Amino acid sequence: YGCTDPDATNHNEFATEDDGTCQYPAAGCTDPAAYNFDSEAEVSDGSCIYSPWTIVDTDCNMTIGIPGDLDIMIEGEAVTEPIWIGVADEDGNVYGSVLYTPGTDEAMAVWSSSLNTNDDGGEDSDAGMEQGEDLNFVIMDGDVQVDAVATYGAGYPGTFSCDGITQIVGLNSSSVVTQSIELDEGWSIW
C-alpha cells in the first residue's frame, strides 16, 4: 500500500495499491514580482497577475486607502469584479496601482519623483508624482485605460504628499460629456 501516483511528492515506487495518501506540491503564483505572489507555492500554476502599468518604487510614497465598499462606476454600471486602479500625473504617467477586488479593503502606494533612478542608474526627477500634484485616477476597463473622477473621504486631500495618506470612497468613469452653451437671442437650430 502507498501512493502510486508518480506526480505526487510522496510517490512510492514499490506500492502496488494506492491507499489515498498521495500529496502534491502547493500550486500558485511563484513569481515575487507578481501582484498575487504566493510564498507557500512550490509549483507555478500560471495564475500570476501583473499590473498593466510599470511602476517604479522610489524613496517616498503616499498611501491611498481604498475601502472594500468603494462606489466604483464605469459608464453608469457598478463594478462587481476585480479591476485595476491607477494614479497618474497630469501627463498620464501612472505612478501607483492596485488590483481592487470589491469587498476587500486595499491600500495603494503612489510614488514620488525624488531619488528615482533611471535605466542608466542615474537619478531621474521626472519619474514620479511631485509634491502638491493632483491625483488623477485611471481604471483599466478590459484592456482600455479610462480616466476616472475620485470622491475623497471627508477631510482627505486629492493632491500628492510624500509620506501622506488619503482615502477615496468613490470612482466614476464616464465617456458621456454634457456641455451648456449660452447663445445670443435669435440663434436657432432650424
Side-chain angles (χ1 to χ4, degrees), residues 39-121:
S39 62
E40 295 183 14
E42 301 167 294
V43 176
S44 178
D45 63 0
S47 67
C48 293
I49 299 171
Y50 300 91
S51 173
W53 304 286
T54 300
I55 309 296
V56 178
D57 299 356
T58 63
D59 66 326
C60 186
N61 71 9
M62 178 177 198
T63 302
I64 300 177
I66 304 173
D69 62 350
L70 179 69
D71 181 18
I72 182 168
M73 305 286 282
I74 298 177
E75 301 296 344
E77 298 289 325
V79 172
T80 59
E81 298 294 321
I83 191 165
W84 282 99
I85 299 172
V87 170
D89 65 6
E90 63 185 21
D91 297 323
N93 302 307
V94 178
Y95 296 120
S97 70
V98 68
L99 180 61
Y100 171 73
T101 300
T104 303
D105 294 339
E106 299 285 353
M108 179 193 321
V110 179
W111 297 94
S112 74
S113 61
S114 63
L115 297 180
N116 194 327
T117 56
N118 60 30
D119 291 338
D120 300 326

Side-chain angles (χ1 to χ4, degrees), residues 7-190:
D7 292 331
T9 58
N10 64 334
H11 173 247
N12 181 347
E13 64 183 272
F14 302 108
T16 57
E17 192 172 324
D18 196 293
D19 63 2
T21 61
C22 292
Q23 297 173 352
Y24 300 92
C29 177
T30 57
D31 185 351
Y35 180 78
N36 61 330
F37 169 67
D38 182 352
S39 62
E40 295 183 14
E42 301 167 294
V43 176
S44 178
D45 63 0
S47 67
C48 293
I49 299 171
Y50 300 91
S51 173
W53 304 286
T54 300
I55 309 296
V56 178
D57 299 356
T58 63
D59 66 326
C60 186
N61 71 9
M62 178 177 198
T63 302
I64 300 177
I66 304 173
D69 62 350
L70 179 69
D71 181 18
I72 182 168
M73 305 286 282
I74 298 177
E75 301 296 344
E77 298 289 325
V79 172
T80 59
E81 298 294 321
I83 191 165
W84 282 99
I85 299 172
V87 170
D89 65 6
E90 63 185 21
D91 297 323
N93 302 307
V94 178
Y95 296 120
S97 70
V98 68
L99 180 61
Y100 171 73
T101 300
T104 303
D105 294 339
E106 299 285 353
M108 179 193 321
V110 179
W111 297 94
S112 74
S113 61
S114 63
L115 297 180
N116 194 327
T117 56
N118 60 30
D119 291 338
D120 300 326
E123 288 188 11
D124 184 355
S125 64
D126 233 5
M129 300 292 290
E130 298 289 334
Q131 188 72 17
E133 189 172 8
D134 287 339
L135 301 172
N136 300 292
F137 283 84
V138 292
I139 299 170
M140 286 303 290
D141 185 15
D143 59 355
V144 177
Q145 177 177 310
V146 294
D147 295 336
V149 176
T151 303
Y152 294 89
Y156 285 101
T159 56
F160 182 82
S161 174
C162 183
D163 294 328
I165 189 166
T166 194
Q167 180 185 34
I168 59 173
V169 295
L171 279 177
N172 187 11
S173 177
S174 176
S175 60
V176 176
V177 177
T178 59
Q179 183 177 18
S180 176
I181 302 172
E182 290 188 32
L183 299 174
D184 292 333
E185 205 171 304
W187 282 88
S188 173
I189 195 167
W190 307 112

